[in-house]
Amino acid sequence: MDLSFLYENPITQNIISWYLVLFGIALPVLLIFWWIGLKGFVELTRYEKGESFLYKMNPITKILFGIVIMAVASTTIWWIGALLTFAILPLYLTLNNGLKKFGYVLMLALSSLIGSTWAIAPYTPPYILNEVFPNQNPITVWVWPSYFSIMGYVPDLTFQAIYYGLQTAFRITVTLVSALLLVVSTSVSDLFKSFTQIKVPLAITFSLMVGFRTIPTIFELLDTSLKMQILRGLGYGKPRILRSFYYIIGAVMAIVPTMVYLFRGAKSLAISADTRGFRAYPKRTLLKEPQITKYDYIMFSIIISLVILDIIANMIGFGRSIPYVGL
Amino acid sequence: MSFNGISGAINEPGQIPWEIVLLYFILALFFVFYYGKKTGGLKAFSTLDLVYIGIGAAFSVAWEFFIGRYIGKFLPNSPFIDVGFWGRLVIIFIVAALVRKVGAGMLTLLIFNLLSDIFYYGFGGEPMFTIYESLTYGLFIDLMIAATGGKIFGIGVTPKNGGSSLQRANLISRYLAIVEGGILGLLWAIPDPIFYSGFFGPFIYAYAPNWAHIVFDLFAFIPADIVFGIIAGLLALRIVRAVGQ
């Protein structure tokens, strides 16, 4: 498709260029704020009790899975990462409230995909594209107005640049999707037990667990604080189109109260931990040791086959073929 | 030869010699163990400190990877602007002000890194990133806590002469918060261009470092980081008071 008649005319060039820039910025943000919202982040970062096999697995197995997925995605050709993303996504359906979680994570992955592609493509210099796609003639899709170079844009947006952006973006989605799987299916106490079992110092485990538990609460509190400001009239009577900007302003304004609230609550948490005898002994004793279940063995075999897949892919020439710069 | 996506390239043209990087981290680790032995290490932290550290790290993760990232998309992509990083800077300075014990900075960065691996990155490139971030960003804060004798950002400073006028004490605290926040902000601007672009970037991705780019980035990061360092110092004073210490 030849679009040169559009970018050779400065008027259409400017209009469409700005449209493209805003599309790349606004679409991921809109996906996040309208379809997912702070509520969705709560859903995607909070553990809920469930019955499916993912809940029964040992947390260490799930962490190991995340590490291996990441390693495989970063050492093999891009479409293996893409396939893994699509293979992991349906696992969300087995979770509690699975359809909802699947919807949220799909939107998050999609927005991350578009956002990352768009954050990489216009900035990738030609010499890198030459390295990635040797012996290929760059196909110019669009030419930005010259002043776009202030924003760091490479003057010509080529088909190769978009393709490169997409390839790199799939490495991000696969880790995102596998990381959140651990988060939504593991209770804090299970994670705590497993960390104790592998002898992570108690102070570190404790802080980590506090953080783990706090992240969904942060989104909840921000959501409440944001709604309070909307109730007070933030953005009232302003045109609909500006409303998402007011949401963002509201979210920024909600940060200090949320922080003060959380830090004040820290005292009660510390007191309750201390009164239950936290750190009274150098080691923690467990009433119930985390078990290795049959699901863990199944997962181990999947992990091992992923490693084998990685090695085979590298041997037959499907190893990582592109350098990623700036990520 | 590569492992976990890391090429392991050293001695690329323009890359900081690995001996220097190693020496820095050995010296930093030496400081950590020496000071840890002197002050009691992890045992020196009360349960409350650990809770503060956990919450602060969680807040930085929520900000850097979920909220700040999307706000940043509305601003031009330029090395002068990094909303995610600024948020982390402010939050972690506040945690340091709440805890005020040597090690608070490093421990917060460590938890931040582990949480960001669990929620976002998936442990790629670990433990390298944790070591790098804890022993640069975290260490700078701890050095400041050590240098101020635990009275970082002027918290708990009382004027030596001139009596106990509260107003005067507040004024001194505020000036100290501005100065110390500014210095820490300046320090926080350094590791990314120098260590990351000058060593870890080439080490991981095997590209040749571009020193014009590194110097440009350094000067691009400094102004905003100083401004946010100062804001963080002043905010820390307020929040510490609001939390009631």
Side-chain angles (χ1 to χ4, degrees):
Chain A
M1 194 166 53
D2 189 21
L3 297 169
S4 54
F5 70 97
L6 283 174
Y7 59 70
E8 271 160 12
N9 179 340
I11 296 170
T12 48
Q13 185 194 30
N14 270 299
I15 293 172
I16 296 175
S17 294
W18 278 105
Y19 175 78
L20 287 174
V21 169
L22 290 173
F23 162 83
I25 297 165
L27 191 66
V29 179
L30 289 183
L31 281 177
I32 292 293
F33 277 94
W34 286 356
W35 271 292
I36 303 180
L38 287 165
K39 266 257 153 60
F41 280 124
V42 177
E43 188 90 13
L44 280 178
T45 49
R46 187 179 56 191
Y47 164 75
E48 273 173 16
K49 241 189 166 91
E51 287 301 314
S52 84
F53 65 96
L54 280 166
Y55 295 98
K56 290 180 183 142
M57 243 179 246
N58 194 312
I60 300 295
T61 319
K62 285 182 262 187
I63 291 178
L64 195 66
F65 176 68
I67 297 173
V68 170
I69 284 278
M70 160 80 200
V72 173
S74 65
T75 49
T76 54
I77 197 160
W78 71 275
W79 49 258
I80 292 183
L83 284 178
L84 286 175
T85 310
F86 293 120
I88 294 169
L89 276 174
L91 286 180
Y92 281 83
L93 286 170
T94 68
L95 295 168
N96 246 8
N97 241 335
L99 205 61
K100 208 160 144 199
K101 286 201 175 82
F102 178 74
Y104 284 140
V105 83
L106 195 68
M107 281 301 158
L108 191 65
L110 189 66
S111 97
S112 160
L113 195 66
I114 299 170
S116 310
T117 308
W118 214 230
I120 296 161
Y123 304 100
T124 313
Y127 75 89
I128 286 170
L129 295 176
N130 266 336
E131 230 175 282
V132 182
F133 308 103
N135 319 320
Q136 264 192 36
N137 267 338
I139 304 163
T140 303
V141 180
W142 190 252
V143 178
W144 306 107
S146 56
Y147 61 91
F148 266 45
S149 58
I150 301 168
M151 300 193 287
Y153 276 48
V154 175
D156 292 10
L157 179 69
T158 58
F159 166 73
Q160 278 81 359
I162 297 173
Y163 190 35
Y164 171 75
L166 195 69
Q167 292 186 2
T168 319
F170 267 117
R171 299 216 149 87
I172 301 164
T173 55
V174 70
T175 49
L176 185 73
V177 166
S178 59
L180 289 177
L181 203 58
L182 164 82
V183 174
V184 289
S185 67
T186 313
S187 74
V188 177
S189 63
D190 277 351
L191 203 61
F192 203 130
K193 282 177 205 156
S194 301
F195 272 71
T196 316
Q197 238 184 358
I198 55 169
K199 309 259 183 301
V200 179
L202 205 52
I204 291 174
T205 313
F206 181 68
S207 287
L208 189 64
M209 294 309 128
V210 170
F212 195 79
R213 214 194 62 153
T214 309
I215 288 179
T217 320
I218 291 170
F219 292 118
E220 241 163 16
L221 288 172
L222 281 176
D223 192 41
T224 313
S225 179
L226 176 69
K227 278 182 185 143
M228 296 286 242
Q229 291 173 64
I230 305 251
L231 268 180
R232 283 178 58 217
L234 180 78
Y236 179 76
K238 297 286 185 314
R240 237 188 120 78
I241 197 142
L242 288 178
R243 214 168 282 171
S244 56
F245 287 100
Y246 279 101
Y247 270 34
I248 289 166
I249 295 170
V252 172
M253 279 169 31
I255 286 166
V256 171
T258 304
M259 226 187 231
V260 172
Y261 179 87
L262 279 170
F263 283 136
R264 286 192 80 111
K267 271 186 191 152
S268 7
L269 185 58
I271 291 169
S272 68
D274 279 338
T275 47
R276 304 276 306 263
F278 174 64
R279 296 209 293 179
Y281 301 101
K283 271 198 193 130
R284 194 171 181 269
T285 50
L286 299 174
L287 278 174
K288 189 173 169 276
E289 299 264 334
Q291 302 293 321
I292 305 278
T293 61
K294 65 172 181 207
Y295 301 109
D296 287 294
Y297 288 112
I298 297 172
M299 199 52 151
F300 283 142
S301 54
I302 294 175
I303 290 171
I304 291 167
S305 38
L306 278 172
V307 174
I308 295 170
L309 170 92
D310 190 354
I311 295 167
I312 294 176
N314 270 288
M315 268 163 43
I316 57 175
F318 290 131
R320 180 174 81 172
S321 51
I322 58 167
Y324 14 49
V325 176
L327 258 173
Chain B
M1 184 56 211
S2 74
F3 170 71
N4 201 1
I6 296 167
S7 310
I10 48 171
N11 302 330
E12 292 282 319
Q15 188 181 15
I16 296 174
W18 64 270
E19 294 90 344
I20 292 180
V21 177
L22 192 67
L23 188 72
Y24 171 85
F25 284 104
I26 287 174
L27 286 178
L29 267 179
F30 179 75
F31 169 82
V32 173
F33 280 106
Y34 166 74
Y35 223 91
K37 263 238 145 25
K38 217 172 111 183
T39 53
L42 284 173
K43 282 199 196 74
F45 292 103
S46 70
T47 311
L48 183 61
D49 295 336
L50 296 175
V51 179
Y52 283 146
I53 287 170
I55 292 175
F59 216 106
S60 323
V61 170
W63 178 264
E64 187 149 352
F65 299 110
F66 298 104
I67 306 165
R69 247 171 72 92
Y70 290 100
I71 293 176
K73 287 200 190 296
F74 284 101
L75 303 165
N77 188 322
S78 127
F80 293 93
I81 298 167
D82 191 342
V83 185
F85 185 75
W86 295 342
R88 186 193 338 169
L89 184 150
V90 171
I91 295 158
I92 289 178
F93 283 18
I94 291 170
V95 174
L98 282 165
V99 178
R100 299 198 298 282
K101 284 175 190 153
V102 176
M106 287 184 282
L107 192 56
T108 314
L109 256 305
L110 171 75
I111 305 294
F112 166 79
N113 264 297
L114 290 173
L115 280 176
S116 55
D117 285 336
I118 293 177
F119 281 85
Y120 193 78
Y121 288 127
F123 294 92
E126 292 296 1
M128 196 183 67
F129 285 118
T130 302
I131 294 170
Y132 155 63
E133 295 207 329
S134 305
L135 292 183
T136 54
Y137 300 121
L139 184 68
F140 296 157
I141 292 182
D142 291 337
L143 286 172
M144 184 59 93
I145 295 176
T148 54
K151 290 181 175 155
I152 192 170
F153 302 138
I155 294 161
V157 167
T158 40
K160 277 194 190 100
N161 48 8
S164 57
S165 124
L166 192 66
Q167 226 172 358
R168 215 173 107 82
N170 280 346
L171 198 68
I172 292 174
S173 300
R174 210 166 295 156
Y175 282 129
L176 282 172
I178 291 172
V179 173
E180 289 167 17
I183 294 172
L184 274 178
L186 173 72
L187 288 173
W188 269 49
I190 297 170
D192 191 53
I194 299 289
F195 276 120
Y196 200 83
S197 310
F199 180 80
F200 284 107
F203 183 73
I204 299 168
Y205 308 118
Y207 62 74
N210 175 351
W211 275 86
H213 197 250
I214 291 173
V215 172
F216 175 77
D217 269 356
L218 190 62
F219 285 103
F221 291 165
I222 286 173
D225 284 2
I226 290 181
V227 169
F228 278 90
I230 292 170
I231 292 174
L234 292 171
L235 254 181
L237 265 184
R238 276 197 163 198
I239 288 184
V240 167
R241 216 165 282 161
V243 171
Q245 283 216 326

